[in-house]
Every structure is written in C-alpha cells, then in structure tokens.
Amino acid sequence: MLLLPAPTSRMQLNFGSSRAVTKAVHGKKTDSVDAFFQTGQDDVWWRYQAISQDSRYGHYVRIPGRICRCLDYFKISSSRRAITERLHSYYLFIGVVDDVIDSGEPEAGRQILKQLDSRNPVFNEETKESHARLVTEVFKCHISLETYPAVLAKLEELYRAVVRERECMTMGAYINERKAIGRLTAEVSYLLIRPLFTSEHKDLCRFLQKVGEVGCLVDSAIDLRTDVRLGLTRFSPSLKDYLQLVSHLLREGLRILVRHIRLLGLFLEAISDNLLDLLRARGGYPVRCQFR
C-alpha cells in the first residue's frame, strides 16, 4: 500500500537487550505481555529482529516513519517512539501473513486469527520455529487491552475481504475488495495508536483509510500480473481491465492529492519506495513462510 505500506528509510529497532525493551514498552501494550519480557529468552527477540530486517519486508517496516510524518501534518502530539514500535509490530505482522497466504496457505489466515483470540502471548519452541507465529505473538504485545476486541473484529473483516478478493471474477469487484483491504488495514493501524492520543482524531482515521485504499490499488497495479501468473486470482484481466484499474487509481489518488497537496513529496516518496521494494521482493515467487 502507498503510505500504508511504505515509510522513509529502513527502520531498525535498536534496544540492545530485552531489559531495555521491557523498559521502553511496558505500559503501552496489553497487561499480559510479561511472558515475553520476563522469560529471559533473548533468542526470541533476536529472531524477531532478524525477520524485521529481512529485505522482503522493507516496505512494511518503513511504514511507521511515514505515518508519524502524517501525524506531524495533522499536528497530533504523541510519543513517536511508542507509535513507531506499535505500528512496526503490526505491519511486519501484515507482511509475513501476506506471504503465508500468497504461498498457497489461505487457511493460515484463519489459524492466525484463532491464535490472536488468546490475548496472552506464548513464546515457546513452536512459536520460535514459525515466522508467522512469532510475529503474531509479538503483535499481541502491542495491542492495548481497551482496543483488543475492536482490533480483532477488524482483522476478521480484513481476512474476509482477502478471501473475497481471491474469488473476484471481474475487475470492478476486484477493485472494490482491494479498496476494502486497504481501508481496513489502515483502520486497524489507527485503532492500535488511538490509545496513545489524548483525544479522538477522526480526520486522521479517514485520511489513513483513503490513503490505504489508494495504496492497495498501487500494489495491485504493480503485482496483478504476477498474481495472475501464480493463480492467485480467479480471472485473467484484459487490457481494458488494467486501464480500469489505473484510471480508478489515478482518480482516487488525485482526490487525496488535491486535498493534501503539502504531502506531495511524501506520496511520491511512497510510490517510489513501493515500486522499488515490491518489484525486488515480489519479482519472482511468493516467499514461503512456515505456519506450523
């Protein structure tokens, strides 16, 4: 996705040790995350760091910095570090799960939702062996208790939209589902960071949703041919279909740009970042990530 996926420069979490992590994040996550930070299993944290620094997920883990720049644009004060950490866990989770589903395991999405049903993080050997399980457990740690039910409900909606997307038989239906995926992905990101604000910011939420919709269409314009070749769609788009997708993308994108012209540089940066990262990371075949 455009802004959602894709911030400025590669973001690396550089806390140095699990003790520093505990100090940095306590009080910002669910109250049940002690299992992660008190086990003394530094290998869990370093495994997570290795996943987050994988170039395949570069355009996902750069998202938080770009969203923080949007907070500056909307003049919203909050802890940028807390927001960055929270969104980093979310978009890395999205990136890894997306790879799992694209690798021919669509039902893995349902398994992951079941894993999220339990709020208590579990970092055992089974978790360590699976990228999908590991990022899911870490993501749990970054969801506030007061928003956990709402986040889970939106993720359920998101999964259903992904399933519907795979069943689309026309470009019109495909565009609608892609927009729904982008909108829901952005809405979850807002729900995650809302507890870190002193007040509600519905204008920000609407903005993120609109950008998320356009961003998903940008991804589709880049990835659709590869998805068709890999059998990830039920229809084979014609030239007319591609023109419909691009024209819809340009129309919706210009609407956002006209209203937020000061963010032109950010949008161009995001598009360039998406093109470079997605073409490099998904130029061949989907990455197969274990979900056991």
Side-chain angles (χ1 to χ4, degrees), residues 73-135:
Y73 171 75
F74 281 91
K75 296 181 171 58
I76 298 173
S77 61
S78 59
S79 168
R80 296 297 189 257
R81 179 172 182 175
I83 286 173
T84 297
E85 290 171 2
R86 193 166 288 198
L87 290 177
H88 177 276
S89 73
Y90 172 54
Y91 282 103
L92 183 59
F93 162 80
I94 289 292
V96 173
V97 172
D98 186 48
D99 270 344
V100 172
I101 293 175
D102 281 356
S103 296
E105 300 179 60
E107 283 305 308
R110 178 58 58 192
Q111 297 177 52
I112 289 167
L113 286 172
K114 185 176 180 181
Q115 186 181 347
L116 284 168
D117 235 356
S118 171
R119 299 185 185 184
N120 297 320
V122 176
F123 295 95
N124 53 25
E125 289 304 315
E126 186 178 18
T127 300
K128 296 176 188 178
E129 292 173 359
S130 164
H131 285 184
R133 286 188 179 278
L134 180 56
V135 298

Side-chain angles (χ1 to χ4, degrees), residues 206-252:
R206 287 191 294 268
F207 169 78
L208 293 177
Q209 288 174 318
K210 287 297 181 183
V211 173
E213 289 179 357
V214 174
C216 251
L217 295 180
V218 170
D219 278 0
S220 295
I222 297 170
D223 282 348
L224 186 53
R225 286 188 179 181
T226 299
D227 290 346
V228 171
R229 188 175 75 248
L230 296 175
L232 300 178
T233 62
R234 291 283 299 275
F235 73 107
S236 296
S238 64
L239 177 60
K240 182 179 178 181
D241 288 329
Y242 281 110
L243 291 175
Q244 181 183 355
L245 172 62
V246 172
S247 63
H248 195 95
L249 162 62
L250 291 175
R251 185 169 61 250
E252 295 296 318

